[in-house]
Amino acid sequence: DADVTQTPRNRITKTGKRIMLECSQTKGHDRMYWYRQDPGLGLRLIYYSFDVKDINKGEISDGYSVSRQAQAKFSLSLESAIPNQTALYFCATRGSSGEETQYFGPGTRLLVL
Amino acid sequence: LAKTTQPISMDSYEGQEVNITCSHNNIATNDYITWYQQFPSQGPRFIIQGYKTKVTNEVASLFIPADRKSSTLSLPRVSLSDTAVYYCLVGISNFGNEKLTFGTGTRLTIIP
């Protein structure tokens, strides 16, 4: 969905390096999410934010941090990357009403050597 | 958290109707049921959402029995382009208490 963009789309890094994945959205949504997808495990929630001043841990937040710089931007950082963080990472946004759906970005494929 | 259970995979021929069932025995009163479609190397895409009974849109129908402990996604007259992974999602987002849960998904393969 072009309304949610992620950069970079692909990244190879080495163990111990710091890396940042960025997400931007033009949907005007307050809520933003970072998910990780591993083969056979579906999507798992890393962090989520309901507005610029709000940051919440998800199911698997250890080893990750996030920053909500503005309503439209939500960044995910790996302070010291490790090989088991190799995965496909998705950003998503959602409106304020509980029943609204999530809109996902195209994903970032990360390989940690 | 409402845990969901779906078949791991399904095969169907082109032109057939496909029904994928999701079990969610501990669904909460305020939970909605949402289905997403995911193609390889793409983010999930919304298909349909419902709370109870039946919902229909231009691509699918969603059947939810009275007890809401399961739901069935129905795809009419599938084509090869419907080959994808389908996720059942149950939950509602309350401020400060995100409760959305993705299942492992059903890999649907359409056979020519």
Side-chain angles (χ1 to χ4, degrees):
Chain A
D1 192 321
D3 297 320
V4 184
T5 57
Q6 294 182 232
T7 56
R9 293 295 312 279
N10 295 279
R11 181 71 182 267
I12 300 174
T13 191
K14 295 181 179 179
T15 297
K17 293 292 186 180
R18 182 179 187 275
I19 183 170
M20 178 181 288
L21 309 183
E22 299 190 15
C23 176
S24 295
Q25 55 113 347
T26 59
K27 299 193 73 68
H29 287 165
D30 291 326
R31 303 183 178 193
M32 298 187 74
Y33 307 77
W34 275 104
Y35 288 91
R36 167 179 172 160
Q37 186 172 35
D38 297 278
L41 293 182
L43 281 81
R44 292 183 291 169
L45 183 62
I46 307 173
Y47 270 96
Y48 60 99
S49 169
F50 285 178
D51 65 35
V52 175
K53 300 177 183 179
D54 178 74
I55 299 292
N56 302 281
K57 292 182 178 180
E59 178 185 356
I60 53 163
S61 59
D62 287 349
Y64 302 95
S65 64
V66 291
S67 174
R68 186 78 183 268
Q69 306 94 319
Q71 186 201 40
K73 296 184 183 298
F74 193 36
S75 300
L76 176 72
S77 293
L78 287 68
E79 296 301 325
S80 181
I82 57 177
N84 74 2
Q85 290 178 314
T86 293
L88 188 54
Y89 290 85
F90 289 104
C91 174
T93 74
R94 176 166 154 145
S96 298
S97 299
E99 70 275 18
E100 293 191 25
T101 63
Q102 295 188 46
Y103 296 86
F104 285 82
T108 294
R109 191 172 296 278
L110 176 66
L111 173 61
V112 183
L113 300 175
Chain B
L1 297 177
K3 186 179 184 299
T4 61
T5 303
Q6 305 173 233
I8 294 174
S9 64
M10 294 178 66
D11 296 337
S12 180
Y13 288 99
E14 275 191 293
Q16 300 294 309
E17 177 185 77
V18 172
N19 296 310
I20 306 174
T21 296
C22 178
S23 296
H24 28 79
N25 291 322
N26 58 341
I27 187 171
T29 302
N30 293 333
D31 284 344
Y32 282 76
I33 300 159
T34 311
W35 285 81
Y36 288 82
Q37 176 191 56
Q38 186 179 27
F39 297 113
S41 299
Q42 295 185 26
R45 184 177 68 174
F46 170 82
I47 303 176
I48 196 166
Q49 184 180 71
Y51 183 78
K52 61 180 179 181
T53 62
K54 176 184 175 181
V55 179
T56 297
N57 62 22
E58 63 276 9
V59 297
S61 295
L62 178 60
F63 299 92
I64 305 170
D67 66 6
R68 302 200 329 122
K69 295 188 178 201
S70 66
S71 58
T72 299
L73 172 71
S74 181
L75 304 172
R77 298 178 300 280
V78 293
S79 64
L80 294 176
S81 63
D82 292 315
T83 293
V85 178
Y86 292 81
Y87 291 98
C88 168
L89 184 64
V90 174
I92 187 171
S93 173
N94 297 307
F95 187 82
N97 186 27
E98 187 68 29
K99 292 172 61 180
L100 298 175
T101 303
F102 273 87
T104 54
T106 297
R107 184 173 300 278
L108 175 65
T109 301
I110 304 304
I111 304 166

